[in-house]
Structures are given as structure tokens and as C-alpha cells.
Amino acid sequence: GAGVSQTPSNKVTEKGKYVELRCDPISGHTALYWYRQSLGQGPEFLIYFQGTGAADDSGLPNDRFFAVRPEGSVSTLKIQRTERGDSAVYLCASSLGTASYNEQFFGPGTRLTVL
Amino acid sequence: ELKVEQNPLFLSMQEGKNYTIYCNYSTTSDRLYWYRQDPGKSLESLFVLLSNGAVKQEGRLMASLDTKARLSTLHITAAVHDLSATYFCAGGAPAMRFGAGTRLTVKP
């Protein structure tokens, strides 16, 4: 079956611009996660959703970052007033539920470059 | 918040040799995960370790978990070039915390 998909695969923007990154989870997965991976580093947790609600957004670095999942399926990560330090690969994952035994399946990522 | 430390960060091995990657974590975690990442690719799940003393093996890779020592290991047996990748351990699901990764290069 189809895995987690993310669009776009690459996004180049200028400092100060607004960007939206999209994630389509595996069908039937109620939990959705966003991570950020900087070059040479491990993924860093940003936020996760159970259904439509953000269950934990403690990893969002500041109020320029926001994520939504209005219908409990597709999610959009929104970044306002982008900065060069936001350049990274943004990974989305989904799982059947949020219990720790539910394996997270990762998408291919969106590579964001802020010039 | 769970902290995860891996070592070594870089590992260059000869084909046919054995080596172990170590993963220490700071607080209790229900599960400990190992992932593989090839350059420019996403994360591929290798192992989920559920309890103290758990050992899982797949091909030339074997992972173990010691919850009392807060230590997991990934042992590589008779390395081959195809194992070259970056390996991450992670815990603290659902909001997972990852180690910095071990970049493994297997040379002929």
C-alpha cells in the first residue's frame, strides 16, 4: 500500500517568506508526527497529532512554526518569516495510534532551503 | 525529556569485520528503536526493542536492550559494503528523541 507522502520534495525560498509543507499519512493512521533533520544530525521532534488535535507541540522552536490537521488526515506545517536557520529536511511520520508500541513510518521528507 | 547519545559518531570498517554501536539514553523509555538512513533518503525501521534483555537479529545486524543500564547496542557481524549508511537509535515515543547517528562506512 501507499506510504507516507510529502510535498514538495524540495522547496527553495527567500528569507522572510512564508512556506507550507504538506504530509499525507498512511490511510487509517490516526497519529501524525513532524520532525526536522538538520544536516549531519538526528531528527528533532516538532509536533504530533492524534486525530485533528495537536497532542504535543513542545518541539516547535518558536511561534513562526505552526501545524494543522483539520480533518484528521493530511497535515500542513506552516513556517512564517523564514530564516536561514530553518533550512533542513522536514520529515513526516504516521502511526496507527500514539501508544509507544505503534511503529512510526516516515515519509521521504521535504528539503527546505532558505536563501 | 529523554536524551539519547550514540557512539561512535563515525565508523569506518573493513568488510568481514565485526563492530558494535552503542546507544545510551537518559530516562526510562517504553521502547527503543533502531533506524537506518541512506544518503538523501528517509528513515527505515530496523528493530523495535520492547523489554529488558530483548535481542533481535536480522541478517548481519543484531540489536539488544539493557533497560537497567539504559543501553542498547547494534552489533554488526562480518560487515559488507551494503551496510554502509547512518544508523540512529531513538526512544521516548510518541514524541521520539533520536541520537545524533552513527555514520558507518564499510570498505572492501
Side-chain angles (χ1 to χ4, degrees), chain A residues 35-115:
Chain A
Y35 295 85
R36 174 170 74 172
Q37 187 174 22
S38 299
L39 191 63
Q41 302 293 319
E44 170 194 17
F45 169 75
L46 296 178
I47 183 171
Y48 84 85
F49 292 86
Q50 174 56 45
T52 60
D56 184 348
D57 65 358
S58 63
L60 294 177
N62 52 59
D63 61 6
R64 295 187 297 105
F65 288 74
F66 190 71
V68 295
R69 195 186 185 201
E71 297 179 356
S73 178
V74 169
S75 176
T76 305
L77 179 65
K78 308 180 181 195
I79 310 174
Q80 297 177 320
R81 304 183 304 279
T82 51
E83 299 177 357
R84 291 195 180 89
D86 298 336
S87 295
V89 175
Y90 289 79
L91 295 168
C92 177
S94 71
S95 64
L96 280 172
T98 57
S100 60
Y101 53 77
N102 289 133
E103 183 178 354
Q104 296 182 22
F105 295 86
F106 284 80
T110 293
R111 182 176 299 277
L112 175 67
T113 304
V114 182
L115 300 176

Side-chain angles (χ1 to χ4, degrees), chain B residues 20-41:
Chain B
T20 300
I21 299 170
Y22 297 88
C23 175
N24 290 91
Y25 55 99
S26 61
T27 62
T28 302
S29 178
D30 278 353
R31 306 285 187 271
L32 198 290
Y33 296 80
W34 283 94
Y35 289 89
R36 169 181 171 142
Q37 187 174 40
D38 291 292
K41 304 291 186 183

Side-chain angles (χ1 to χ4, degrees), chain B residues 2 9 23 30 45 59 61-62 75 79 82 87 93-94 102 107:
Chain B
L2 182 74
L9 299 183
C23 175
D30 278 353
S45 178
L61 300 178
M62 182 174 71
H75 186 73
D82 285 353
Y87 293 85
T102 297
K107 299 181 176 178

